[in-house]
């Protein structure tokens, strides 16, 4: 069964890297896949810079809506 995603809970979760860009929240897809225990390779994504362990890296990320849409495809 799919976990229900709630924006306010995801924003509080320190294990999921996230960045706000153009007034929208984008979530690190690898972190979300680990959190959900699901394969999110079908999710449409973009690359944005994230600060992880004090290092800036470009990573695949997606909005909550993109993740939900990709999960329904699976």
């Amino acid at each position: 069964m799919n976990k229900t995603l709630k924006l306010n809970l995801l924003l509080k979760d320190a294990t999921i890297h996230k960045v706000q860009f153009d007034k929208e929240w984008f979530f690190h897809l690898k972190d979300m896949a680990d959190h959900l225990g699901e394969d999110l390779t079908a999710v449409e994504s973009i690359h944005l810079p994230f600060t992880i362990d004090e290092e800036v890296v470009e990573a695949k990320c997606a909005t909550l809506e993109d993740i939900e849409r990709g999960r329904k495809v699976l």
Side-chain angles (χ1 to χ4, degrees):
M1 184 169 161
N2 285 346
K3 284 186 183 179
T4 303
L5 299 176
K6 303 268 187 219
L7 179 61
N8 59 341
L9 295 177
L10 292 172
L11 292 177
K12 293 177 187 176
D13 191 331
T15 64
I16 300 172
H17 292 90
K18 55 208 140 294
V19 64
Q20 191 172 26
F21 180 74
D22 199 24
K23 298 183 183 180
E24 263 196 278
W25 283 99
F26 289 82
F27 298 90
H28 190 285
L29 275 183
K30 182 182 179 321
D31 292 347
M32 288 299 294
D34 293 344
H35 176 75
L36 295 169
E38 296 178 22
D39 178 13
L40 298 178
T41 55
V43 174
E44 276 188 52
S45 63
I46 63 170
H47 286 83
L48 287 176
F50 280 83
T51 302
I52 299 175
D53 297 329
E54 299 179 18
E55 186 178 328
V56 177
V57 296
E58 260 197 31
K60 289 173 94 175
C61 61
T63 64
L64 190 57
E65 293 79 18
D66 290 335
I67 294 168
E68 287 287 7
R69 190 172 33 256
R71 291 173 81 202
K72 288 182 178 137
V73 169
L74 300 174

